[in-house]
Amino acid sequence: MKKVILVTGGAGYIGSHTAKALSGAGYLPIAFDNLVYGHRWAARWGPLCEADLADLVALRQVFRDYKVEGVIHFAAFAYVGESMAHPEKYFRNNVVNTLNLLEAMQAADVRNIVFSSTCATYGLPSEIPIPENHAQHPINPYGESKLFIERVLHWHHVAHGLRYAALRYFNAAGADPDGEIGEDHDPETHLIPLAIETALGKRDCLEIMGTDYPTPDGTAIRDYIHVTDLATAHVRALEKLLAGGAGFCINLGTGQGHSVRQVIEMVQKVGGSEVATRESPRRPGDPPILVAAPIRAGEVLDWHPRHSELSTIIETAWNWHERQRGKNGSQHTIPS
Ligand SMILES: NC(=O)c1ccc[n+]([C@@H]2O[C@H](COP(=O)([O-])OP(=O)(O)OC[C@H]3O[C@@H](n4cnc5c(N)ncnc54)[C@H](O)[C@@H]3O)[C@@H](O)[C@H]2O)c1
């Protein structure tokens, strides 16, 4: 019998790629998603439980319906700008609803959870690359909500023996190399899909926010990690917990940074078409450079990125976006 893993946010971007990786590794992923941002078509490697984490009855029911061995918890709101305007929305969904999940897990005696944390918990880093023991001082409610849950997990570990892995991703990017799923956020705020959509003529112009950063070309530098590499790391972390591993926090990044201009150049090279740009001031709260120290993930999970060369990330993303456009001119179509 396949081990059942509950994947909250399993119809979303990283959740659906992880469900595919889980299925490939012999698990049965159950997607638990309210489809606020997720897509029914993306939950294709196991059953979809269409429900909200605010609904404790539905949560308890899913643990009764399936013998869940572990949970991978992606479901959250993740728009930094929106979190500045509506912090209450982020604390309700990312914090309170995670407490619901933990309560339902405890009632069902499920003790393993892999949690989507983020480099946003570090705030403005004083050290690059950023090690896991760097001070965590988030500068927006989104990062604060994720840090709060890291602390909650720690105390559940101490009090109840919960086994957890908090994975602090840097910038997730790229698409399934088989082309079955990819990134489809609405609204989209991530650089790579925005640049590709501009190159494909879906958008008039890409805004470069900040050209006066203290970086070689003046634009912000980020650490892009392929979503398939992230998915593999989640399976490894889960297996570590299932084998009795205790609580740990790990960066998931490559240790390599790319500037906004370097990303745009690569999109133009891969796609063979120009990305029209417009320069604008820095966005408040955007650090100049965010790059992971990725050593611990290798040590603890024996995990190393395999698909995270910038060219591979952009080729897979490009193929996904082009294929979606080819269907009927819209990205919001159902892949066959
Ligand atoms: N994308 C990145 O670069 C990145 C970086 C760091 C951390 N993260 C974290 O990774 C996770 C996944 O990110 P993503 O890019 O796949 O986002 P996403 O929006 O594509 O996926 C999140 C999914 O959760 C679902 N969801 C949200 N609230 C829910 C609720 N209350 N009940 C049920 N379902 C709910 C949404 O419908 C969506 O399908 C998030 O927790 C995010 O904070 C993402």
Side-chain angles (χ1 to χ4, degrees):
M1 265 251 295
K2 288 182 177 177
K3 284 188 176 155
V4 173
I5 307 301
L6 187 70
V7 184
T8 76
Y13 172 45
I14 309 172
S16 58
H17 287 78
T18 301
K20 178 173 179 175
L22 284 168
S23 171
Y27 297 92
L28 176 64
I30 313 291
F32 187 101
D33 201 301
N34 59 9
L35 301 184
V36 164
Y37 290 119
H39 307 283
R40 197 175 296 283
W41 52 255
R44 52 196 288 182
W45 284 278
L48 167 66
C49 177
E50 187 181 340
D52 196 296
L53 289 174
D55 182 351
L56 253 173
V57 175
L59 259 177
R60 290 201 187 105
Q61 190 60 44
V62 80
F63 285 103
R64 273 198 288 272
D65 290 345
Y66 299 97
K67 189 181 171 306
V68 175
E69 303 278 344
V71 174
I72 307 187
H73 179 35
F74 294 100
F77 293 147
Y79 292 107
V80 170
E82 184 187 57
S83 81
M84 295 294 284
H86 301 288
E88 64 287 349
K89 186 174 169 184
Y90 280 69
F91 292 122
R92 165 98 25 213
N93 197 32
N94 298 3
V95 177
V96 176
N97 287 342
T98 300
L99 299 182
N100 285 348
L101 174 65
L102 291 172
E103 190 180 317
M105 285 176 66
Q106 207 179 334
D109 200 26
V110 176
R111 286 168 179 269
N112 303 298
I113 183 167
V114 181
F115 170 60
S116 294
S117 191
T118 166
C119 62
T121 60
Y122 294 117
L124 292 171
S126 59
E127 192 184 341
I128 298 289
I130 308 170
E132 285 86 351
N133 62 2
H134 188 286
Q136 289 175 288
H137 298 301
I139 54 168
N140 51 62
Y142 165 67
E144 194 80 66
S145 70
K146 293 287 184 171
L147 178 57
F148 193 87
I149 294 303
E150 285 196 9
R151 303 309 302 156
V152 168
L153 294 174
H154 165 74
W155 291 113
H156 274 247
H157 169 66
V158 172
H160 308 304
L162 181 76
R163 289 184 288 266
Y164 75 93
L167 305 181
R168 298 177 190 150
Y169 326 149
F170 281 62
N171 286 57
D176 171 35
D178 302 330
E180 293 186 287
I181 41 177
E183 187 166 12
D184 191 354
H185 287 127
D186 184 16
E188 186 55 82
T189 57
H190 294 153
L191 174 62
I192 291 174
L194 290 176
I196 291 174
E197 287 176 7
T198 308
L200 289 170
K202 239 192 122 188
R203 292 175 190 268
D204 294 340
C205 192
L206 174 73
E207 212 174 326
I208 301 180
M209 288 181 264
T211 52
D212 60 349
Y213 283 108
T215 58
D217 68 17
T219 64
I221 291 178
R222 294 290 179 268
D223 184 337
Y224 294 92
I225 177 84
H226 197 286
V227 66
T228 299
D229 284 329
L230 283 183
T232 307
H234 284 76
V235 177
R236 294 268 170 90
L238 173 80
E239 292 185 332
K240 183 103 187 159
L241 299 180
L242 293 175
F248 51 91
C249 300
I250 289 185
N251 284 341
L252 293 180
T254 63
Q256 297 278 319
H258 299 284
S259 73
V260 172
R261 289 200 201 284
Q262 286 174 322
V263 168
I264 294 169
E265 272 164 31
M266 185 60 80
V267 168
Q268 295 182 149
K269 190 171 163 202
V270 167
S273 40
E274 204 188 325
V275 177
T277 59
R278 183 178 64 231
E279 296 182 3
S280 61
R282 297 182 188 190
R283 190 169 53 183
D286 265 349
I289 306 177
L290 287 174
V291 173
I295 312 295
R296 193 185 286 177
E299 290 168 354
V300 176
L301 302 178
D302 190 23
W303 172 87
H304 303 277
R306 301 262 177 262
H307 305 272
S308 293
E309 287 292 322
L310 187 60
S311 55
T312 309
I313 287 176
I314 291 177
E315 275 159 23
T316 56
W318 182 278
N319 290 343
W320 162 254
H321 281 83
E322 200 175 36
R323 184 164 169 257
Q324 293 316 104
R325 188 180 70 146
K327 293 223 153 127
N328 62 1
S330 161
Q331 273 193 260
H332 305 285
T333 52
I334 301 175
S336 52

